[in-house]
Amino acid sequence: MTTQDGAAQHGSSIDSRLGCSTISFRAWNLPGALAEINGQGFGEIDLGALPGVCDHVSTPLPPELVDVLAEQILASGLAVRLINADVAEMDDPGLDAAAIQRRLRTLVDLAGAVGTSTIMLACGRQGTKPRTELSRDIATVARTLTAAAEFVNAAGLELLVEAPHARRLCADLGRSEMLYETLGDAPVGAVLDLSHVVASGGNEVDAVRRFGDRIGHVQLRDAVLGDINRSIGRGEVDFPAAIEALAAAGYRGHYSLELETHDIEDADRPTEAGRAGRYITSLLQGVSPAAADVDARP
């Protein structure tokens, strides 16, 4: 099926609150990833800027590439919900406010050029072992995030942090709660990725209970304990319960499929994104998967 055929088949069947991260198509170049996402009927993206994971946006981003990337994205017709970036080891005590702001500058320029209001950052370096001592490292992350928030807020943007992240410092619900308590009133919201909750041994509904007031975005992928790279329906994430809990908590934000999965071939990714999109849409719209003729499992 061609991208155009996919668009014709799926069209507006994807809920407007549900996007697809370009990380789902990290093996494609950016224009190719945008075409596949568009072709499956999505209207918006999370834009990947993660060195070694998804290089659709180079990090650091050279100033001369800002307009190039913006032109490609705007030409796709897809809205950008947020830029998902890893700009530094956020638990590095030597990273001062000037350094983090310098690394964010061109991403802020890109955000303005593509019309998104949000940048998302990581909760520490790769690896769950503290650099020094856990509470001290979490305090460093909080301090760095606060400096980043001041910079992006001044540009009219908001900052989110992905915590928990099962492969970083704030790996589970307990450590993430420590981070949010340390942040206090700092203007830093939460990205809740359900795969990281389950992979780290947590419960989706409990995560919503703990972080509901901070949640500014939700990312979706399936998982089992210790493995975040499952296609939706091939793991243990309870998507219906999570989405119901989010709705009950008053969450009115958006969701994104971040299908960085290791259980399918790249050739199957467009079809899988469409299938997952229609399944999650059925949950967001209060239609049972059976009634919507959508299979939750590949």
Side-chain angles (χ1 to χ4, degrees), residues 263-296:
D263 53 10
I264 62 172
E265 299 296 326
D266 282 344
D268 297 325
R269 292 190 185 280
T271 300
E272 174 58 21
R275 181 202 65 80
R278 293 188 297 280
Y279 170 62
I280 297 300
T281 289
S282 73
L283 301 179
L284 292 174
Q285 296 181 352
V287 180
S288 71
D293 193 26
V294 175
D295 188 354

Side-chain angles (χ1 to χ4, degrees), residues 64-133:
E64 62 271 18
L65 290 184
V66 170
D67 288 343
V68 174
L69 292 171
E71 183 177 346
Q72 293 174 352
I73 293 162
L74 294 173
S76 75
L78 292 164
V80 180
R81 177 56 45 185
L82 58 75
I83 299 174
N84 181 356
D86 185 2
V87 299
E89 295 183 351
M90 306 297 282
D91 55 333
D92 180 359
L95 185 68
D96 61 16
I100 190 66
Q101 292 172 4
R102 184 172 60 252
R103 298 181 188 197
L104 283 167
R105 185 165 290 112
T106 48
L107 287 178
V108 167
D109 292 341
L110 179 63
V114 300
T116 186
S117 64
T118 308
I119 292 176
M120 161 187 166
L121 296 178
C123 63
R125 63 176 174 169
Q126 290 280 357
T128 61
K129 183 179 179 181
R131 184 189 296 263
T132 59
E133 186 273 330

Side-chain angles (χ1 to χ4, degrees), residues 10-11 22 26 49 56-57 67 75 99 110 124 146 173 182 184 192 197 215-216 220 246 250 252 282 294:
H10 303 309
T22 68
R26 62 179 184 167
H56 288 146
V57 176
D67 288 343
L110 179 63
T146 299
L173 296 184
T182 304
L192 182 65
V197 173
I215 297 171
L220 306 172
L246 284 159
R252 297 294 181 265
S282 73
V294 175

Side-chain angles (χ1 to χ4, degrees), residues 3 40 54 68 100 129 136 146 178-179 181 214 264:
T3 297
Q40 293 301 320
C54 181
V68 174
I100 190 66
K129 183 179 179 181
R136 182 183 304 168
T146 299
M178 289 177 63
L179 173 63
E181 288 175 353
R214 276 198 185 262
I264 62 172

Side-chain angles (χ1 to χ4, degrees), residues 12-19 43-44 81 254-255 281 284-285:
S12 60
S13 64
I14 303 299
D15 191 277
S16 62
R17 294 173 64 199
L18 178 63
E44 67 180 37
R81 177 56 45 185
H254 285 225
Y255 298 76
T281 289
L284 292 174
Q285 296 181 352

